[in-house]
Amino acid sequence: MAYNRKAFSNLPQAPVAARKPQTDTRHGLTRTDDYAWFRADNWQAMFKDTSILDPQIRSHLEAENAYMEAALGDTAELQKQLFAEMKGRIKEDDSSVPVKDGPYAYGTLFVTGGEQPHYFRTPRDGGERHVMLDGDKEAAGKDYFRLGGLGQNSDHSHGIWGYDDKGSEYFTLRVRNLETGEDLADVVENTSGGGVWAPDGKSFFYTLQDENHRPSKVFHHIIGQPQSADRLVYEEKDPGFFMGVGGSLLDDFIFIDIHDHETSEYRLLSTKDLTAEPMLVAEREEGVEYSMTEGGDVFYILTNDGEAKDFKIVEAPVTAPGKENWTETVPHEPGRLILSHAAYARHLIWLERRDGLPRIVVRERATGAEHAIAFDEEAYSLGLHGAAEYDTDVIRFSYSSMTTPSQLFDYNMVTRERVLLKTQEVPSGHNPDDYVTRRVMAPAHDGELVPVSLLYRKDTVLDGSAPCLLYGYGAYGVTIPASFSTNALSLADRGFVYAIAHIRGGKDKGFAWYEDGKMEKKQNTFKDFIAAADHLVKEGFTSFDNIIAEGGSAGGMLMGAIANMAPEKFAGIIAAVPFVDVLNTMLDDTLPLTPPEWPEWGNPIESEEEYNWIAAYSPYDNVANKPYPPILAISGLTDPRVTYWEPTKWVARLRATAPEAGPYLLKTNMAAGHGGKSGRFQRLEEIAFEYAFAIKVAGKM
């Protein structure tokens, strides 16, 4: 066997889940699910009040937690060491560089010992900080607390702030007097987490989440009135679409953004008449995406319309933004994926990716002259932060690599001058020259080349003996950047090779890279990850006895799939909030994300073909008696994205089906959701826990 069985000797008896078979027949095919009972019938209500969880389910989750603690009890001191190292690399009393907006500059800070951000402002050109919202004060006494941000109105007198104190992602909104720090009486509940001010600062717009946790309605709230009096602005009837609300820099429009993973639609509300019906821009067409930013008398629209697979930018008059008036501004170039865009008084900017690496392009609107901001490292990450004001020549961006701490720059789009505002401090010290970052290309099963970003110490011996943490995601077009991680240094310093596999399902190599890892092509994602492992072994970076795989959420599905496909190639697997019960979830259209997810995975309710795609790889449905390595699954009781019962069922089936392999460990955060614990350092405790498992499995304790 490829893994270190000795790491888990003398374990107590593992929890045994009761079998209560339930059958389901679709398309003439019948499946039996022994563990469907873990899905609480009252799950919607339980997300808001965990005390009503079925006692039998609670008892089992607590037994799993006790078993996990027994299995990893010998890592307690290691977890403390890892946490201390990670915390030592973070400046406790850190603060952001304030962003200028009107008479003020706004930022966030952390205090020594604090877990939550504090929101502050200064006079525009510097001066005394005024703390408007103290996150630590608001979180006091709560097991879980997550802030949804603070957004100021146009006269800077008040701000909307949101919080979730259960991990369920139902946010409550409050309105704060930014000078006194006092909240008004307004309380708006069950929102997506933020609001958009009307220009007069007397009302705001927000999205309401329904009982199935879908943001299906946009409301207009007038300060001083009860939530029950809020006006419904727009309701999305199709449960397969998400909805968000935003505003323009010029305060001219409220944007209602309606989308799933491959189709989008915008509706606009002019702030000159807040009671008007929102205006449709371009009717949704399956597979056509677009997003909008205002440019004064025009809108700039980023879209894949007209076979522009890697996207183009068009413009349309503000007065008539319909598709019939779209004219091309930045043409489509195959292989040049435009990721995002923004417009200012004199410039249009966008973030693009070529050959797997990002760059920022600046175009002068009057002349069309362009130039790019790029860097020379083999693998790096860029973040485009833009500006809070429309009439500006200065934007902000960030840069890092796996060896280079994050740097924040102001960039003058006219003079092309870069001003370094801040370099991420590593209080315990960091010498980039001690580490190596590389990008290698792993041949996939069909001849494609899969990029793999690597970080390791310069003195690491690359003869196959090094342990390796191989991370992957591969879904929704999400690209995992090759950015600086202070946490990964704890592994590198222990002789690990830290690797990120940029597999299909993300957009790392363009939009086609995403298309080749979804729907009927989903298995490419899993095969790419296995190919990355094969290549790292072939090139001497590690060995199959030393690879610990890690992924979360949709990346947790990846973990379950590769465990079924190639268990002998991994020494251990970490699956955080893993989406492993794919077929059952996609068959349950009452769950929060199911209808919006059908364009990503397929709709097994309507289509026998799509049912069969999913059934072929769904990790829970393909568990067999195989030599699985040790597996650590992590879930959150109030997680609305990957419900707690998915990893619970998965571990139960693994243990029943392959009892001689494993062990299989399940940790359920009983007071948290999809993102785990909410505090800045609480999150480090969870990462230290995951890394301790990897180090134990690798035999490096």
Side-chain angles (χ1 to χ4, degrees), residues 64 124 131 140 216 256 261 281 298 307 362 397 410 443 445 460 548 567 667:
E64 288 282 12
R124 179 181 179 91
V131 174
S216 58
I256 299 174
H261 293 298
V281 176
V298 299
E307 304 300 322
V362 177
F397 71 88
D410 265 353
H445 68 283
T460 300
I548 294 90
K667 175 183 179 180

Side-chain angles (χ1 to χ4, degrees), residues 401-638:
S401 75
M402 295 179 79
T403 57
T404 306
S406 180
Q407 297 174 320
L408 187 68
F409 294 88
D410 265 353
Y411 181 78
N412 189 301
M413 295 182 285
V414 176
T415 66
R416 307 189 185 184
E417 179 187 10
R418 299 180 191 181
V419 177
L420 178 61
L421 302 173
K422 181 180 179 180
T423 298
Q424 178 182 356
E425 291 185 47
V426 183
S428 60
H430 171 68
N431 182 2
D433 293 337
D434 290 341
Y435 302 88
V436 176
T437 183
R438 289 190 57 190
R439 175 162 288 193
V440 298
M441 305 300 278
H445 68 283
D446 57 0
E448 288 283 1
L449 294 176
V450 180
V452 185
S453 297
L454 304 175
L455 170 73
Y456 52 89
R457 282 192 67 93
K458 189 175 290 185
D459 55 5
T460 300
V461 178
L462 301 178
D463 61 358
S465 64
C468 172
L469 186 84
L470 178 59
Y471 178 86
Y473 187 73
Y476 308 119
V478 172
T479 297
I480 305 300
S483 55
F484 186 69
S485 167
T486 54
N487 301 327
L489 297 176
S490 285
L491 292 177
D493 287 347
R494 286 172 170 80
F496 273 72
V497 173
Y498 181 79
I500 301 171
H502 303 280
I503 52 185
R504 276 175 278 190
K507 292 178 183 171
D508 307 67
K509 292 178 70 175
F511 196 83
W513 201 243
Y514 168 45
E515 288 186 315
D516 279 349
K518 62 183 289 198
M519 299 292 277
E520 74 274 18
K521 299 179 180 178
K522 187 62 210 170
Q523 300 224 26
N524 284 337
T525 301
F526 317 137
K527 292 176 181 178
D528 283 359
F529 191 85
I530 295 168
D534 289 341
H535 187 68
L536 293 179
V537 171
K538 179 183 176 185
E539 295 300 311
F541 290 104
T542 187
S543 65
F544 293 131
D545 289 348
N546 283 310
I547 301 177
I548 294 90
E550 181 183 21
S553 195
M557 175 206 295
L558 167 68
M559 295 299 101
I562 59 106
N564 290 331
M565 294 168 69
E568 71 284 354
K569 293 184 177 181
F570 301 96
I573 293 173
I574 302 169
V577 289
F579 179 31
V580 284
D581 195 12
V582 186
L583 188 53
N584 282 319
T585 293
M586 289 297 101
L587 287 166
D588 186 349
D589 60 8
T590 69
L591 292 175
L593 294 185
T594 293
E597 299 284 286
W598 286 330
E600 182 78 14
W601 317 110
N603 182 345
I605 298 174
E606 300 292 335
S607 168
E608 180 178 358
E609 181 184 24
E610 294 174 17
Y611 179 102
N612 289 329
W613 296 345
I614 298 171
Y617 67 75
S618 177
Y620 179 66
D621 293 279
N622 287 280
V623 168
N625 190 1
K626 294 183 176 183
Y628 292 105
I631 293 175
L632 172 63
I634 302 168
S635 76
L637 184 60
T638 55

Side-chain angles (χ1 to χ4, degrees), residues 121-137:
R121 70 183 180 191
T122 68
R124 179 181 179 91
D125 295 317
E128 185 177 351
R129 288 177 176 170
H130 171 66
V131 174
M132 303 170 293
L133 178 65
D134 179 340
D136 289 311
K137 179 180 177 182

Side-chain angles (χ1 to χ4, degrees), residues 241-252:
F241 281 77
F242 302 98
M243 186 161 57
V245 62
S248 64
L249 288 181
L250 288 170
D251 280 339
D252 285 352

